[in-house]
Amino acid sequence: MKLPLIMLSALIALTACTSSSTGRKQVMLFSESELDKMGAASFEDMKKNTPISTDKATNDFVQCVAKSITKNVDKSVHQGDWEVIVFDSSQVNAFALPGGKIGVYTGILNVTENQDQLGAIIGHEVGHVIEHHSNERLSANKLQNMGMAAATAAVGLTDVENKGLWMAGLGLGLQYGVIMPYGRSHESEADIVGQDLMARSGFEPSASIKLWQNMAKLSEGSSQAAPAEFMSTHPSNQTRIKQLTKHLPSSMTLYKSSNRPSCVKPKVILAPKK
């Protein structure tokens, strides 16, 4: 009885399909209110455990760019103001969470040369929220667990030799056949959605291309080589550059009809406190 019930649950789950703004099919098993609560809880936890920058110039710069971006996000994505925090960390990273939360690490401000490149970063991260990628990731994990449970039941019902090898093979197939490609498609989609969003917000969209050229140089200068694209959840820097370059004429149309903000990057980004 267990196997039919599991397979029925998986079939029901697969009916929870919709499409992203780019036309990609999505499976989302969680409500937006659930995602908002998860995002808010995670953000509060980060604020408790990660130092927050108190440098006024740095905060003013990030807040200016973030506000310019978020005011062009449809209210269906988030009602009310977005909470933006600058974390005092050398990490070259930024993120956005459901529930209107944005985090920017001071480390990434040393890679972004100006307001346009930071606009590309924040636009990209908010693009993940717009396209419900967190919901997809959580849903994919849930389906993966359901699939593993079904496979375990199937192996248990049939006296298959070397069941450990079968399970390992299935786990590998799920990891590289489903989960990791989802990650790459999410990143590529957020690149395009983010480029359009930054353009509508008045940031020069070609800066997204220059940003990833900077990232490529950073990877080349790193002691640890970047992973091969087919084994990574992120597209390679060169793939991103090609995709953004191809989409640039479309985003430039949006940029030409936008109002350009004036967000001044500090000459010095203070190093994280020890």
Side-chain angles (χ1 to χ4, degrees), residues 2-203:
K2 288 184 178 180
L3 183 57
L5 287 173
I6 292 171
M7 298 305 292
L8 178 60
S9 298
L11 181 62
I12 293 171
L14 288 172
T15 63
C17 288
T18 184
S19 295
S20 70
S21 67
T22 64
R24 184 177 55 80
K25 293 296 183 183
Q26 298 175 295
V27 175
M28 297 189 291
L29 307 180
F30 298 87
S31 70
E32 290 308 301
S33 61
E34 287 177 304
L35 267 293
D36 288 351
K37 289 177 182 178
M38 292 179 197
S42 299
F43 203 60
E44 288 303 312
D45 187 62
M46 287 200 65
K47 290 194 298 184
K48 291 177 182 177
N49 295 292
T50 308
I52 295 174
S53 172
T54 58
D55 182 63
K56 185 178 185 305
T58 300
N59 275 273
D60 286 349
F61 173 56
V62 173
Q63 293 287 344
C64 178
V65 173
K67 185 176 181 180
S68 299
I69 290 285
T70 56
K71 72 180 183 182
N72 288 289
V73 178
D74 193 273
K75 293 299 182 183
S76 64
V77 176
H78 175 67
Q79 295 284 344
D81 296 331
W82 288 66
E83 183 180 7
V84 183
I85 296 293
V86 181
F87 291 103
D88 194 23
S89 169
S90 59
Q91 286 191 55
V92 182
N93 207 355
F95 63 89
L97 298 173
K101 311 297 182 182
I102 295 174
V104 176
Y105 295 96
T106 52
I108 205 166
L109 299 178
N110 292 313
V111 179
T112 54
E113 298 171 342
N114 49 46
Q115 66 168 2
D116 298 302
Q117 290 184 19
L118 182 57
I121 287 288
I122 295 179
H124 170 91
E125 298 304 330
V126 172
H128 283 303
V129 178
I130 292 172
E131 297 301 333
H132 310 288
H133 291 162
S134 293
N135 200 330
E136 281 192 275
R137 288 187 180 110
L138 288 168
S139 299
N141 287 339
K142 188 171 185 177
L143 288 173
Q144 180 186 17
N145 291 336
M146 291 170 65
M148 291 297 288
T152 301
V155 171
L157 290 171
T158 58
D159 188 17
V160 178
E161 295 181 0
N162 301 318
K163 71 167 69 175
L165 293 176
W166 278 97
M167 293 303 295
L170 178 59
L172 183 66
L174 284 168
Q175 184 180 9
Y176 295 117
V178 177
I179 302 303
M180 297 193 83
Y182 275 7
R184 289 197 294 271
S185 67
H186 287 166
E187 292 298 328
S188 294
E189 189 169 63
D191 279 345
I192 299 305
V193 172
Q195 190 182 53
D196 283 347
L197 178 57
M198 68 179 289
R200 286 198 305 273
S201 304
F203 298 107

